Amino acid sequence: MKERVVFEANVPVTATLAYEDGLKVQGRFGDQVMYSLTDGRVMYVPPIVRDKLVELGIQQNEPFAICRAERREGSRRFVDWVVQPEGLAEATQGATANNDAHGTPADGDNGARVRPNGNGSGNGNGKSASTPTRPGTAEAALRAALTASIDAALAAEQYASAHGLSIRFGSEDLRAMALSLFIQHARDGGMR
């Protein structure tokens, strides 16, 4: 029997798919997708991870980082699955970041959420979300600014929580922070 990947909370795992397509299986907590990895292990993940792999354009034999990001708010536990291409994961070091400031309750819904364009596919600009961006472009700078603002907001929320304070950043806060970072990057001459 193949070794199964264990996803510890907030610990990123590097994986490489042996085959691009996973096998849909019924698990103890509902539908899951089983992937064979090139190192001989298998991983079982919720369908939202399959969607993220497709969205990012992760191919067979292409390493990526995956993390079951978990945070608590009082007695509630929130879980998000973070998937990043290996190069991006190393650059951002944001394995515990998620796609917005609020996770999803860990109540068996597998972290599903609607994308900003409302339908779960693409990114709202007419291009597939898996369309690669060239470093140095405005789009790459904006993506980096959004990622950095999310990471900063999560870190601030965690810091405040550790000190007995409650602070929550909404989507407008994240947009404002990202826009500030994007403008600063443009002023510094970071875009061509």
Side-chain angles (χ1 to χ4, degrees):
M1 186 162 170
K2 293 185 176 187
E3 179 185 352
R4 185 177 183 158
V5 176
V6 176
F7 294 102
E8 295 180 34
N10 302 320
V11 177
V13 174
T14 300
T16 306
L17 301 178
Y19 307 99
E20 190 172 332
D21 296 327
L23 177 65
K24 187 175 179 180
V25 296
Q26 185 65 32
R28 201 168 64 191
F29 302 106
D31 289 340
Q32 293 187 320
V33 181
M34 182 191 79
Y35 285 99
S36 294
L37 304 179
T38 57
D39 61 5
R41 298 180 299 165
V42 294
M43 70 176 187
Y44 292 86
V45 294
I48 188 74
V49 173
R50 177 195 55 216
D51 297 344
K52 289 181 180 192
L53 290 169
V54 169
E55 195 175 284
L56 290 169
I58 302 293
Q59 303 288 319
Q60 175 181 355
N61 297 318
E62 184 178 329
F64 63 95
I66 181 171
C67 181
R68 185 176 59 86
E70 182 179 302
R71 67 184 178 93
R72 294 186 184 275
E73 285 183 20
S75 62
R76 294 194 62 179
R77 186 172 53 113
F78 294 85
V79 174
D80 261 329
W81 287 89
V82 180
V83 180
Q84 297 177 319
E86 186 61 22
L88 181 61
E90 292 169 1
T92 63
Q93 306 237 346
T96 60
N98 54 29
N99 290 333
D100 60 21
H102 303 286
T104 52
D107 58 6
D109 72 353
N110 293 329
R113 84 162 48 92
V114 176
R115 297 282 177 241
N117 69 352
N119 66 8
S121 64
N123 56 16
N125 66 1
K127 291 196 290 187
S128 166
S130 62
T131 302
T133 57
R134 292 188 316 264
T137 65
E139 188 175 352
L142 183 56
R143 285 184 187 209
L146 286 166
T147 301
S149 69
I150 292 167
D151 289 344
L154 284 172
E157 287 179 1
Q158 290 172 352
Y159 179 82
S161 178
H163 290 82
L165 303 170
S166 179
I167 184 171
R168 297 290 173 252
F169 292 93
S171 60
E172 291 299 318
D173 301 319
L174 295 171
R175 287 184 194 124
M177 288 187 284
L179 185 56
S180 295
L181 290 170
F182 179 75
I183 291 169
Q184 186 62 46
H185 181 74
R187 284 186 182 154
D188 294 343
M191 292 184 293
R192 294 179 198 149

